[in-house]
Amino acid sequence: MSEIFPDFTFVQGILVIALSLGVSVLFWAMGRFGKWRAAVASAEQRVPAIFLFQHGVLEDANAQAHAFLAAQLGETPCDWSALSKVLSTRFSDIPAALGSASGKETKTHTALLATDPSFLTIEQWGARSRISLFDTSPCPKKSDDTQKLELNEALNQAPNPVWHSSDTGEIVWANAAYGELAKNLGKECSDGFPELFSNLPVQTNPEPRRTALSGEHQDHSYWFDVTSVAHTDGQTHYAIDANAIVNAEVAQRNFVQTLTKTFAQLSIGLALFDRNRQLALFNPALIDLTNLPADFLSSRPSLLSFFDRLRENRVMPEPKNYSSWREQIAELVVAATDDRYCETWTLPSGVTYRVIGRPHPDGAIALLFEDISAEVSLTRRFRAELELSQSILDAIAQPMAVFSPGGSMTFCNRAYQKFWKEDPTANLNDYSIDHAINTWKAKGKDSPSWPVIRQHLRHSTSKSLRQFPLTLSSGLPLNLTTTAIHGGASLVLFKVSTPKPSPQKTPEKLVV
């Protein structure tokens, strides 16, 4: 065999080597093809950024394309040249101009970096072009210089002062808002940045520190909340305008002081309990009315402790059932929350309090203690005088009635009720002169005096007595007397004239 094919071993070696190289190339191509197919499959899962150009000018783009342009250029380019410069940094063989004179053609451009699976397709037919960017990797980061410039520009346009100080406290950089603040305070910025926040409190924690700056004339203060962040070469300070917050706090403080002064002048005791049912506010009148110590009230006692102390001081009625005392307090709280708690406390000392519960915002309730002893005493005295006057009228045997200037009956005695068989005291306000005259006429005979009586009772102011003779249905004569009394009221008296019995003759004594 070796004699027939003396170079068989050499030829066989050449074939083996060629076969090995072919297999290697085949596997390499399959790997590249598989990588490309994987990239295509991955890219197809994402919506590509599509740009439409006409004569090299951008005509339309989808949302992904606009986002790409905003991230890379900050604005939409007006031609292909601007976009091609960005794409040429990532993809190979990007044409400088668009357009195809040989009909429709499509080219695919892979990424320059082997680790970047993104690719780009350019479809052109005449003057129209469509660029599809299958971006499967994050966009390349901007350069450090570009990022620093953008960061400085953003800080410089910030509405609040931002500055950076060294370890020695010297200000090495500040934004435009800091310079504007220095100008408002009358500080010069020509030789560097002036130190505006020299009175800044020492920072012991990362919380904001509030400070005030004043101008040369001390007529206006600028309040700021300053936060400082430490760095290796110093500190960066961020100041936030706090004027609105400070003004609101001052207004709230002044309002509270005004309320406190107003509450201090009230004669009604005030106890305000917060949503946790702890005493949050009280006035001096509460101390005077309840005899509770000021230190006890200042310790913010709970609502139950407050009422326990009132009961111990005998400033409230003793509960009939002490075992249900807490339930009564709970019912009191519910009633006060619904704005329906109002009670009158009569104490053993003779003092009478009116206690009212009122709801307040955020679940708070207010209790008002008012001393109504004088009012109750006056009411009782007035009621006693009325009862005395009524008893005097009832003791008079002659029927009488009193009418107010408005024409309503205000008094009548028992003799009037018995004589006319009617009880006007059930509702004196509805018992008018017309109603009374109708009652009198129904039990009497017609007389031309009735209209005169009505006119006299309504409009007469003369205090002289005027009598009207009338006749009852029974035939008995009735004498009606009217007169004006104090306050424009009218008094009516009735007197029945009974006929005198005729004298009987004494029988003569028989003489025997």
Side-chain angles (χ1 to χ4, degrees), residues 273 277-279 292 296-297 299-313 316 325-326 329:
F273 294 86
R277 299 299 177 258
Q278 287 185 318
L279 185 63
L292 294 179
F296 169 74
L297 297 176
S299 63
R300 302 190 62 190
S302 64
L303 186 66
L304 189 59
S305 300
F306 177 80
F307 278 100
D308 278 338
R309 199 67 175 265
L310 289 180
R311 185 184 58 81
E312 293 175 1
N313 290 359
M316 68 176 300
W325 168 246
R326 292 182 179 271
I329 297 300

Side-chain angles (χ1 to χ4, degrees), residues 88-116:
S88 61
T89 60
R90 294 183 62 190
F91 302 97
S92 60
D93 303 330
I94 300 297
L98 295 177
S100 175
S102 59
K104 184 177 180 180
E105 61 178 26
T106 303
K107 290 185 179 181
T108 301
H109 303 267
T110 59
L112 294 174
L113 298 177
T115 57
D116 187 0

Side-chain angles (χ1 to χ4, degrees), residues 281-348:
L281 180 66
F282 66 93
N283 63 342
L286 183 68
I287 301 176
D288 298 336
L289 294 175
T290 61
N291 296 324
L292 294 179
D295 54 350
F296 169 74
L297 297 176
S298 301
S299 63
R300 302 190 62 190
S302 64
L303 186 66
L304 189 59
S305 300
F306 177 80
F307 278 100
D308 278 338
R309 199 67 175 265
L310 289 180
R311 185 184 58 81
E312 293 175 1
N313 290 359
R314 304 187 71 182
V315 188
M316 68 176 300
E318 186 68 22
K320 297 180 180 179
N321 187 1
Y322 187 75
S323 60
S324 61
W325 168 246
R326 292 182 179 271
E327 296 180 1
Q328 297 176 18
I329 297 300
E331 294 175 358
L332 181 151
V333 172
V334 173
T337 305
D338 296 339
D339 196 10
R340 55 182 177 83
Y341 179 76
C342 182
E343 288 188 356
T344 300
W345 292 355
T346 301
L347 306 183

